[in-house]
């Protein structure tokens, strides 16, 4: 077990955004959490990332409870996030955006090698490396956000709605990248409203509704589940 979330509850004042959420992810898996707007998906990732504090529950990382640790500590432990809406630094260059992902590392030579490797893998980022990141398209910014998150060399990558606002062709490209990331040895926890893509790429999935996990199972099986089809796959 790489990560286990146990009875996690998170509130925003009086709003109960997560209620007793429990799930686990093994090393090497791609696990998806799907759910409609407001289900609590981003809250879940932001809490794992140390940006929100749970009211109760545990986040076990290799058997240590990391709930309540700071965002920086969480990155140092090996968990990083590409947030919803990318959150790139629009006024900074593409290169600077990538470099900042390595802020917890000190192995400068290796950092430079990683940057070069990602620039070769994503030629569009290489072409634009000295341009302001805010000038890139949504799909390019999504790739940049993922690369920035990978620069901390995470063991677990958290992806919040990587397909949001992108065209089908670009979504395909992003999802191909997610498969590659897992093949390269990084475990992935993905949250999506786009249940079809998320169930396609993942091994297992959880359905989150109104802050609670209501269904879970193998993604291939959930994709055939009548309830899931009706509520999340458009029939
Ligand atoms: N900063 C906040 N203050 C108050 N309520 C919030 C805040 N952020 C989220 N919420 C509420 O918490 C609930 C869960 O929100 P969250 O953003 O986690 O949902 P989500 O599943 O990521 O939705 P989406 O698919 O729209 O991104 C919603 O009811 C939302 O209105
Ligand atoms: Mg969200």
């Amino acid at each position: 077990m790489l990560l286990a979330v146990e009875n996690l509850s998170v509130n925003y004042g009086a709003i109960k955004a997560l209620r007793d959420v429990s799930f686990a992810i093994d090393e090497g898996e791609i696990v998806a959490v799907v759910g409609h707007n407001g289900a609590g998906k981003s809250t879940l990732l932001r809490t794992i990332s140390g940006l929100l504090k749970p009211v109760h529950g545990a986040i076990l990382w290799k058997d240590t409870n990391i709930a309540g640790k700071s965002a920086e500590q969480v990155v140092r432990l090996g968990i990083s996030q590409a947030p919803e809406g990318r959150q790139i630094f629009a006024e900074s260059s593409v290169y600077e955006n990538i470099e900042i992902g390595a802020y917890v590392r000190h192995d400068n030579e290796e950092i430079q090698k990683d940057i070069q490797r990602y620039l070769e893998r994503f030629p569009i980022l290489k072409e634009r490396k000295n341009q302001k990141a805010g000038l890139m398209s949504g799909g390019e910014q999504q790739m940049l956000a993922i690369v920035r998150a990978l620069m901390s060399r995470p063991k677990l990558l958290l992806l919040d709605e990587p397909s949001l606002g992108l065209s089908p062709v670009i979504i395909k490209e992003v999802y191909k990248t997610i498969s590659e990331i897992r093949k390269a040895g990084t475990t992935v926890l993905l949250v999506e409203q786009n249940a079809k893509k998320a169930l396609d790429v993942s091994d297992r999935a959880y359905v989150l509704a109104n802050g609670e996990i209501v269904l879970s199972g193998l993604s291939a099986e959930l994709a055939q589940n009548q309830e899931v089809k009706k509520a999340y796959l458009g029939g």
Side-chain angles (χ1 to χ4, degrees), residues 130-235:
N130 298 317
Q131 285 182 22
K132 281 186 185 177
L135 298 176
M136 294 199 302
S137 74
E140 292 160 0
Q141 291 187 18
Q142 184 60 57
M143 293 301 188
L144 177 58
I146 292 174
V147 167
R148 181 182 60 185
L150 289 172
M151 281 302 296
S152 65
R153 289 192 173 175
K155 292 188 183 65
L156 175 64
L157 177 66
L158 310 176
L159 296 174
D160 194 342
E161 309 246 13
S163 74
L164 194 70
L166 306 182
S167 70
V169 174
I170 305 299
I171 291 174
K172 215 171 152 199
E173 188 65 25
V174 169
Y175 269 81
K176 195 175 137 218
T177 304
I178 295 171
S179 290
E180 281 178 20
I181 289 167
R182 182 256 290 275
K183 279 199 197 106
T186 305
T187 307
V188 177
L189 175 59
L190 168 74
V191 313
E192 271 281 9
Q193 278 185 55
N194 188 339
K196 184 168 187 332
K197 291 306 290 183
L199 292 177
D200 268 356
V201 80
S202 58
D203 306 305
R204 291 188 303 112
Y206 295 86
V207 177
L208 192 63
N210 298 316
E212 291 180 281
I213 288 179
V214 293
L215 268 176
S216 65
L218 295 175
S219 301
E221 288 175 9
L222 282 178
Q224 298 304 323
N225 177 302
Q226 287 308 324
E227 213 178 315
V228 172
K229 274 189 175 172
K230 209 164 141 225
Y232 301 96
L233 299 171

Side-chain angles (χ1 to χ4, degrees), residues 39 42 54 71 85 87 96 108 111 115-117 143 172 230:
S42 297
Q87 311 276 350
E96 288 162 343
N108 291 334
I111 290 172
I115 294 176
Q116 289 315 319
R117 210 154 41 78
M143 293 301 188
K172 215 171 152 199
K230 209 164 141 225

Side-chain angles (χ1 to χ4, degrees), residues 12 15-17 35-44 84 160-161 191 193 208:
Y12 298 101
I15 298 169
K16 294 188 183 342
H36 294 308
N37 283 124
K41 305 181 298 297
S42 297
T43 302
L44 177 62
E84 185 176 325
D160 194 342
E161 309 246 13
V191 313
Q193 278 185 55
L208 192 63

